[in-house]
Amino acid sequence: MNAHPTLNNAPIAEALIDIRVKLPATLKVEIIDTIYDAIKDKYPDKQEQKISELKLDLRSEDTVNSSGAIVNGYRYISSDKKQIVQTRLDGFTLSRLHPYVKWDEMRDEAFRLWELYKDITSPDSIIRVAVRYINILNIQLPIKDFGDYLSAPPIVPDGLPQGISSFLNRIVISEPSIGASAIITQALEQIALDAAPIILDIDAFKLKPNGMEEKDAWEAIDQLRHFKNRIFFNSITDRLKEEYK
Amino acid sequence: MSTAIPSTECNSISSFPSIGFGTDLLGLKKYYDRVVSDLKKAETLGQVDTVLQELHEVYLECSEEGWDGYDAQSISEAAYVEVRKFIEYLPLISSIPVPEIIPEPGGEIGLEWSRGTRQVFIASFAGNNEIIYAGLFGTNKTHGTEYFGDSIPSKIMDNLKILSF
């Protein structure tokens, strides 16, 4: 049941479906790249994804040596640059940038790509699944009170100047009924001349360090989407919802 | 009731004041950095990660004297750390194009933003808390030196905003 209103102008800047896995230790990162043949029509632009590696050498005086960057996966970008697939040694992520498409469309594409990733990598287990939505609430200035727009606005103690030029607020909540958690981040970095681009980042996830079945993982992804919606609609005021309708 | 006020300096939320040495402060900084790092894992908020990767590669390639085949000085670690900090402090959401990394023969690192040949801004870092900059915006020219501490100087941001999409 969808109890939330449909927003024709939803402020979604990016939506992600993320699956973290444990891959066989012997799997080489180059193997992951064989997925490219199957997706290059839709995702022609390929990039290596690198992480910096530090080596500890306790025998020498210089105890920490940077040994440069190593490839831990790949990014494949669609022709219109609106969709990005990451295939890494620790998992798989599909990002959809603005403009957002329907959930079903995004989920189906994530499932299609996951099947390819799974066939190539044969994961030992799925450890974590997440649905993350990054919203940019561009609120026109002047803002008399952040509480007019945010259900949980930043609070400055009484007796202090109430003007805020930047804030970062992060909370982690649990939803025991589905065994999930969510990281909710509200941030404002700088205020432009005419608007305040407030980030409302909702990362709903389910973690099972001992692994979960694939079917359960996809069921969890659907549940996480509903959890994410509840968080979003409870994070903004009716006034802001009206603006996005 | 909290209200919004504009700020002239770019106090990035990636910036955690690093003055202090206590274990509690270092622990808090580590936690804060992790929070910001998690935030930047998304494509939308993590655009600078690719630039940081390029910076690291440039630093490794140019960390020995003569890297240009002539007598260029090695890129100093101080310059590398300073440029890294600058890139990390760029706004998470922004229409400013990503910069190109340019190693300089004197051991500095330059960042170049451009939109065509007549819209160019260059900032140079030597690792001494100063940014030497020069810009060409059509027929207008600008240049100067700004102190770089825990925020991107407003003059630099004003120039970068000219290059916004």
Side-chain angles (χ1 to χ4, degrees), chain B residues 16-131:
Chain B
F16 186 90
S18 53
I19 297 169
F21 297 99
T23 50
D24 290 339
L25 182 111
L26 292 176
L28 182 60
K29 176 169 171 35
K30 205 171 162 185
Y31 175 73
Y32 191 90
D33 288 347
R34 207 182 74 218
V35 168
V36 173
S37 163
D38 284 347
L39 202 59
K40 288 182 176 177
K41 278 179 184 162
E43 298 286 340
T44 315
L45 307 179
Q47 289 174 17
V48 298
D49 279 6
T50 318
V51 185
L52 289 176
Q53 200 172 301
E54 279 170 29
L55 173 68
H56 189 72
E57 284 167 11
V58 167
Y59 174 57
L60 293 177
E61 282 167 17
C62 306
S63 56
E64 286 183 15
E65 286 184 16
W67 51 263
D68 62 347
Y70 298 97
D71 51 4
Q73 292 178 34
S74 59
I75 299 294
S76 70
E77 187 177 354
Y80 167 70
V81 170
E82 197 166 81
V83 175
R84 194 176 172 88
K85 185 169 88 170
F86 181 91
I87 293 169
E88 285 174 343
Y89 285 6
L90 285 169
L92 290 179
I93 314 165
S94 143
S95 49
I96 300 165
V98 291
E100 191 179 334
I101 315 282
I102 301 168
E104 297 173 357
E108 304 89 3
I109 300 175
L111 294 179
E112 180 180 316
W113 294 259
S114 63
R115 293 188 65 197
T117 52
R118 303 290 296 176
Q119 300 277 335
V120 184
F121 185 75
I122 296 170
S124 179
F125 302 79
N128 56 359
N129 291 103
E130 274 186 358
I131 303 173

Side-chain angles (χ1 to χ4, degrees), chain A residues 114-184:
Chain A
W114 159 256
E115 291 276 291
L116 295 168
Y117 174 83
K118 182 188 69 175
D119 288 348
I120 288 167
T121 60
S122 304
D124 290 338
S125 57
I126 298 172
I127 292 163
R128 182 187 190 270
V129 290
V131 171
R132 182 177 177 186
Y133 276 61
I134 296 157
N135 303 277
I136 309 293
L137 316 174
N138 262 316
I139 300 175
Q140 294 302 304
L141 295 178
I143 295 174
K144 196 175 154 199
D145 183 354
F146 280 108
D148 291 338
Y149 305 93
L150 301 173
S151 306
I155 294 173
V156 181
D158 288 342
L160 296 178
Q162 295 297 305
I164 292 178
S165 58
S166 176
F167 64 83
L168 172 61
N169 177 30
R170 179 187 193 259
I171 58 171
V172 182
I173 60 170
S174 293
E175 176 48 283
S177 68
I178 57 170
S181 300
I183 303 167
I184 308 169

